[in-house]
Amino acid sequence: MIAPARIAAYETLLAVAQGRSDLPSALARTRAVLDDERDRALAGEIATGAIRWQGAADHIVTAFSGRGASKLDPEIVAILRISIFQLLHLDRVPASAVVDDAVDLARRAGKRSASGFVNALLRRVSREKTRLPLPSTPPLDLLSITLSHPRWLAARWIARHGAEAAERWANFNNTPAPLILRANRLVTTADALARALSAEGVTVEPARLAADALVVTGGNPLLTPLAGTGAFVIQDEASQLVGMYASAQPGERILDACASPGGKTTLMAAAMQDIGVLVAADVRGKRLALLRRTVAASGARSIRLVQADARASAPYRAQFDAVLLDAPCSGLGTIRRDPDVRWRRTEADLPGLAAAQREMLDELATRVRPGGRLIYSTCSGEPDENEDVVGAFLAAHAEFVRVTPAAFAARSDLAALLDADGTLRTLPFRDSLEAFYAVNLVRQR
């Protein structure tokens, strides 16, 4: 009998590889049929890890078989990827169980003729796991093969940050990310939330920088009665820092132009003490539905929802004190949390994304009142989507200038994340945070 977690992990990988789903959606479907929480956790660990280490696994398969992944059936590739990940990275899983289940999975997938190949290759990986053909030099081979990142992205990082920093970034991405909560100030405080979670058997500790962030160190807060009460939102710490950088104040009129899933929206509503008006917009119906649920759970009454395209004329005429454009981007700064992003994105995606980002900035600039601010942010570390977009915008809009948010700069630990011109930049190899970027542009006239 094949372990249910391995079946779920295999089906997840196959759905992602065939382009039928992204990783979170595929995992949600395959884990929904598992009754045991331990199976659900293991399925997630195997599927996520296999995608994370896919580049190295494929290199081993090619070296041992003489055939690349593109020459094999996708079902066999998925089976080999999940099995090699388990053999190399999960010490608690017996190798014999991994290999036996892989052979049975091949038969179950209708690939009985490949079962001998699967068996022989995985047994060789198990025997030679301490001397696998994975390069330690030069840096580009190390990052792209051994550390399992796309070659084009590794080359960019090495050229921009140097080989050592690029290697630290890749290692950061290959480490499972902690679960981070944000205490909703409209409902509770970080200290009170920590105590309430402790009473339910969940242990947390304060995050380093974001004031309301708690890092989960034990237990699952989503399985407690606190889930769904609005007491907390799951939100990455770097994302919380961007929300803080927006510096929302009570009584302001703010537009969050690409608001779903709503983490930064509800953070700003809490910073406003729910006093003022916060228009939260998103273009896609499904994303708006997700945003609606997040806002409802937060208890915020100051938020108004609108379905709108940030690139088109807005269905509102008001000029705002602040407009946040958390722009749709490559997501290449969040590879640790979304490992399939590294394989879904290509360098050719960047020009199109940058063009859309510039278009949104041009349109939203008209919504900012004189003296108001336009905050542009991405979860990407690539200059194409950051410095280049903002530079082109400022060249065409002399009425806007960069201004450092005073409250953010006043904290020495946060000021360390600011460039000389006041741009917020988090870097995995420097800050142990996902790569986010934000700039504050004030309209002078």
Side-chain angles (χ1 to χ4, degrees), residues 287-321:
R287 298 285 292 178
L288 195 67
L290 173 60
L291 176 61
R292 182 174 290 109
R293 291 195 292 275
T294 305
V295 170
S298 76
R301 297 178 179 276
S302 57
I303 301 174
R304 308 287 182 266
L305 300 180
V306 176
Q307 185 168 5
D309 184 348
R311 291 178 294 182
S313 296
Y316 31 77
R317 293 185 177 276
Q319 289 195 311
F320 293 88
D321 299 303

Side-chain angles (χ1 to χ4, degrees), residues 52-63 88-89 132-152 154 158 170 174 342-343:
R52 185 173 285 135
W53 291 100
Q54 170 178 314
D58 289 359
H59 181 81
I60 293 169
V61 170
T62 301
L88 301 184
H89 298 282
L132 292 169
L134 294 172
S136 56
T137 57
L140 189 53
D141 283 351
L142 171 65
L143 262 70
S144 63
I145 298 173
T146 307
L147 298 181
S148 192
H149 279 65
R151 201 169 185 85
W152 68 268
I158 291 170
N174 289 337
R342 74 180 83 182
W343 308 121

